[in-house]
């Protein structure tokens, strides 16, 4: 009888599949997407997304990595939500945003969003002075934090994406 129970338990556990949810299945998604439009050369442009977990108790509503890519040539900026401190793994520490961009746009763009020590749901890209090069679809990919507190060095693998179209006259 004991062997039978063990076999049943092993069978039940092996039948459970832990699949990564598809984008539409996630409670975590985009609440707002901003920045599409027509800009005059030299203007500032603010492209941004806000993520939400829609109140899901088993998901995190903060992003870990956010990458904005100019589709026409692949130029990009990646922002990471990082932390310094002993207790970062439980969400206590000094949180900040790290920027890593491809050559050519790194000096023309900067991050904008919320104070990372308060909240981390908005990931924005400020283009300080748009040029004709910026006239493109801009794709943003956002990865959710691994755990509440977001102090780990990696995300949980759930990536959502969307895009905005920027036209520069």
């Amino acid at each position: 009888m004991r062997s039978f129970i063990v076999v049943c338990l092993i069978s039940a556990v092996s039948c459970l599949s832990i699949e990564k949810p598809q984008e539409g299945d996630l409670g975590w998604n985009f609440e707002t997407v901003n920045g599409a439009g027509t800009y005059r050369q030299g203007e500032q442009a603010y492209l941004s997304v806000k993520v939400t977990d829609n109140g899901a108790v088993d998901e995190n509503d903060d992003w870990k990595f956010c990458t904005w890519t100019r589709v026409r040539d692949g130029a990009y900026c990646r922002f990471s939500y990082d932390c310094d401190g002993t207790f970062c793994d439980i969400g206590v520490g000094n949180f900040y945003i790290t920027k890593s961009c491809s050559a050519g746009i790194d000096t023309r763009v900067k991050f904008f969003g919320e104070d990372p020590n308060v909240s981390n749901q908005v990931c924005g890209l400020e283009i300080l002075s748009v040029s004709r090069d910026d006239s493109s679809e801009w794709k943003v990919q956002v990865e959710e934090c691994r755990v509440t507190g977001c102090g780990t060095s990696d995300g949980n693998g759930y990536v959502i994406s969307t895009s905005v179209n920027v036209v520069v006259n």
Side-chain angles (χ1 to χ4, degrees), residues 9-164:
L9 286 174
I10 290 172
S11 296
V13 170
S14 65
C15 287
L16 294 175
S17 65
I18 301 173
E19 292 183 24
K20 185 172 154 183
Q22 299 302 309
E23 184 172 325
D25 297 337
L26 294 174
W28 187 72
N29 55 35
F30 294 112
E31 182 175 308
T32 60
V33 178
N34 296 303
T38 302
Y39 298 87
R40 288 192 314 247
Q41 198 164 345
E43 281 185 317
Q44 285 180 302
Y46 293 91
L47 315 180
S48 69
V49 293
K50 182 175 182 180
V51 294
T52 180
D53 66 359
N54 290 308
V57 295
D58 60 342
E59 295 193 29
N60 193 323
D61 62 358
D62 289 336
W63 59 268
K64 183 63 181 178
F65 301 108
C66 173
T67 305
W68 285 93
T69 303
R70 189 170 59 195
V71 173
R72 70 168 200 77
D73 64 356
Y76 70 91
C77 264
R78 181 179 191 205
F79 300 109
S80 303
Y81 184 49
D82 295 318
C83 182
D84 284 334
T86 306
F87 300 108
C88 287
D89 285 347
I90 59 169
V92 178
N94 179 39
F95 286 89
Y96 57 96
I97 305 297
T98 302
K99 176 181 105 168
S100 173
C101 300
S102 57
I105 68 167
D106 57 337
T107 59
R108 298 184 329 103
V109 301
K110 64 182 185 177
F111 171 80
F112 85 90
E114 302 148 306
D115 177 343
N117 285 295
V118 176
S119 182
N120 193 43
Q121 294 176 303
V122 174
C123 178
L125 175 76
E126 178 185 357
I127 305 172
L128 301 173
S129 176
V130 294
S131 71
R132 295 204 189 276
D133 290 340
D134 298 318
S135 198
S136 174
E137 176 184 5
W138 284 79
K139 181 178 182 179
V140 61
Q141 293 181 297
V142 184
E143 183 174 352
E144 186 179 25
C145 288
R146 179 189 289 205
V147 293
T148 300
C150 208
T152 59
S153 63
D154 57 352
N156 66 7
Y158 298 163
V159 178
I160 55 176
S161 64
T162 191
S163 61
V164 297

